[in-house]
Amino acid sequence: MKKIFLLLTASCLFSCGTAKVDQETTLNPDNSAISVKGAMVEDAEMKRNNATLNNMAAKKDTKFSNAEGIRILMEFLASDNLKGRDSGSEGIEKAADFAENIFKENGIKPYFESYKDTLSNFDKTAYNIVGILEGTDADLSSEYILIGAHYDHIGEISPENGDAIANGANDNATGTSTVLELARYFGNLRSNKRSIIFALFSAEEKGLLGSEHLAKKLKDQGLNLYTMLNFEMTGVPMVGKDHLVYLTGYELSNLAEVSNTYADEKVVGFLPKAKEFNLFKRSDNYPFHTAFNVPSQTFSTFDFTNFEHYHKVGDENELMDFQHMANVVNKMIPVVEGIANAPTQEIKYK
């Protein structure tokens, strides 16, 4: 997450498994296995195919994502091999290839000529990863929903106990995994009447540069953007809340109300600290708000009490709750599906 000035103590800043994976890891399109350099790492829970997805749609069953699938994604994205995914580094290049492969294997096409879109506002070579799933409705497909998260982190920093790699598990391999899982779901089921852009941003930690670059580029192209849904730090459950995730800029729109209607429960709520520290302006939703003036907001579960390792080497996978992360994905599926298929644009700024 973009660096926040020291308004809080070190524990109050927003912005488990053992298998090792590298950049040649890919998800198979039928979800049956994970391929690692030609070897197959299989799990019964991962053996889902298109027929299963179609059954889910028929039964309105959203138990799509699971802890094991999330674990596999996270163990790659937040591994030491990626050296903290600093923008412009060899490590984030591996993460970019990994995400590109998942998009490709699940029917998400490149939005531009390739998935990698080079940033125009950063002094090193860095890429956003941008894919598109066209909508199925002749009229609504001209309206776009953008689902995003930043996949960069801060690289290597001052060592603590011999460890200098700021792996960025919570910040923001978690949001990246959420976007990849949503892309996998919709890419296989193709249940979206509106078109969906899936975007992973680089250089968020440098000042929201990746999202700023993409927002300007899409605006210049005249994209008909309906809403931007961003995911940031979703790896640990909130403490003592009556909702699963909170929404930055909660009071600015009716997105929480619309989301809860489609979820058929209170999934999205208000976090006073998010308003107090103006988190609406501190993540990748904000450049889209600025460029398009359409509802552009971030979902998160970092509540200022449940995670003490922001921008530290301690932001590791063993602190992440993979079942919670899968639950976030599963609860967001009907939300995104509802927004994508509603006959009118329901989400409005107040």
Side-chain angles (χ1 to χ4, degrees):
M1 175 161 298
K2 181 186 176 186
K3 187 170 182 65
I4 294 177
F5 297 111
L6 297 179
L7 301 170
L8 298 172
T9 63
S11 66
C12 296
L13 287 172
F14 176 74
S15 203
C16 306
T18 57
K20 299 298 180 184
V21 247
D22 61 21
Q23 76 261 36
E24 296 184 36
T25 303
T26 58
L27 291 179
N28 291 330
D30 66 354
N31 268 330
S32 60
I34 299 292
S35 174
V36 186
K37 288 188 174 179
M40 306 306 289
V41 181
E42 297 192 24
D43 188 281
E45 286 186 298
M46 293 295 289
K47 292 182 178 178
R48 314 181 196 94
N49 54 27
N50 289 342
T52 302
L53 288 164
N54 290 333
N55 278 338
M56 288 166 48
K59 297 175 182 178
K60 301 298 181 184
D61 180 4
T62 56
K63 294 178 181 177
F64 164 77
S65 191
N66 62 47
E68 176 63 10
I70 293 290
R71 178 187 66 80
I72 291 170
L73 295 173
M74 290 290 293
E75 285 190 347
F76 179 83
L77 291 168
S79 69
D80 282 353
N81 289 337
L82 270 60
K83 303 293 185 183
R85 304 188 312 278
D86 195 9
S87 296
S89 70
E90 181 180 347
I92 199 171
E93 182 86 20
K94 295 177 182 179
D97 291 342
F98 179 77
E100 179 178 317
N101 285 337
I102 292 175
F103 280 179
K104 186 183 303 181
E105 295 294 337
N106 288 282
I108 308 301
K109 297 179 180 180
Y111 182 83
F112 300 108
E113 290 186 7
S114 71
Y115 294 101
K116 293 187 177 76
D117 179 39
T118 305
L119 270 58
S120 59
N121 54 355
F122 187 56
D123 57 0
K124 296 182 180 179
T125 300
Y127 312 99
N128 291 331
I129 307 301
V130 189
I132 176 70
L133 183 66
E134 297 288 350
T136 60
D137 185 89
D139 295 323
L140 293 178
S141 62
S142 64
E143 300 175 10
Y144 289 80
I145 297 166
L146 196 150
I147 298 175
H150 75 90
Y151 74 113
D152 66 308
H153 199 231
I154 59 173
E156 296 182 80
I157 59 176
S158 298
E160 295 180 24
N161 299 318
D163 182 7
I165 300 174
N167 298 79
N170 202 20
D171 184 14
N172 189 34
T174 58
T176 301
S177 296
T178 302
V179 172
L180 293 175
E181 284 286 83
L182 290 172
R184 187 167 66 88
Y185 176 87
F186 285 98
N188 283 277
L189 195 58
R190 301 176 103 45
S191 61
N192 54 300
K193 293 182 179 180
R194 289 183 173 85
S195 297
I196 303 177
I197 295 172
F198 296 96
L200 298 173
F201 308 113
S202 190
E204 188 267 3
E205 301 288 1
K206 311 300 184 183
L208 310 182
L209 297 183
S211 52
E212 180 183 83
H213 163 87
L214 184 61
K216 182 180 186 304
K217 191 168 184 175
L218 295 178
K219 180 66 174 179
D220 289 347
Q221 290 183 344
L223 183 85
N224 183 13
L225 183 65
Y226 167 27
T227 187
M228 191 277 183
L229 310 177
N230 190 54
F231 292 90
E232 176 89 45
M233 295 181 73
T234 59
V236 183
M238 293 189 289
V239 178
K241 308 296 190 298
D242 65 351
H243 48 277
L244 180 64
V245 301
Y246 67 86
L247 188 67
T248 66
Y250 178 92
E251 71 286 356
L252 300 179
S253 81
N254 65 341
L255 177 55
E257 178 184 349
V258 170
S259 298
N260 291 336
T261 297
Y262 286 122
D264 199 27
E265 61 180 293
K266 189 176 181 181
V267 171
V268 182
F270 173 64
L271 186 75
K273 284 288 186 184
K275 182 177 181 180
E276 180 182 349
F277 293 105
N278 203 9
L279 300 189
F280 176 71
K281 293 185 177 182
R282 299 187 184 276
S283 195
D284 289 305
N285 60 286
Y286 191 64
F288 292 92
H289 161 77
T290 301
F292 288 91
N293 194 31
V294 299
S296 307
Q297 294 168 267
T298 293
F299 299 94
S300 180
T301 68
F302 169 67
D303 71 1
F304 293 82
T305 69
N306 61 355
F307 191 70
E308 299 181 355
H309 301 276
Y310 172 82
H311 283 189
K312 294 182 177 181
V313 298
D315 188 358
E316 300 267 15
N317 273 328
E318 55 261 30
L319 299 180
M320 300 299 99
D321 186 330
F322 299 144
Q323 186 57 57
H324 159 74
M325 290 178 61
N327 193 33
V328 170
V329 173
N330 291 332
K331 296 295 185 181
M332 292 306 300
I333 284 172
V335 173
V336 175
E337 211 156 36
I339 293 169
N341 295 331
T344 61
Q345 295 188 1
E346 302 167 301
I347 307 168
K348 307 287 186 183
Y349 273 144
K350 296 177 181 177

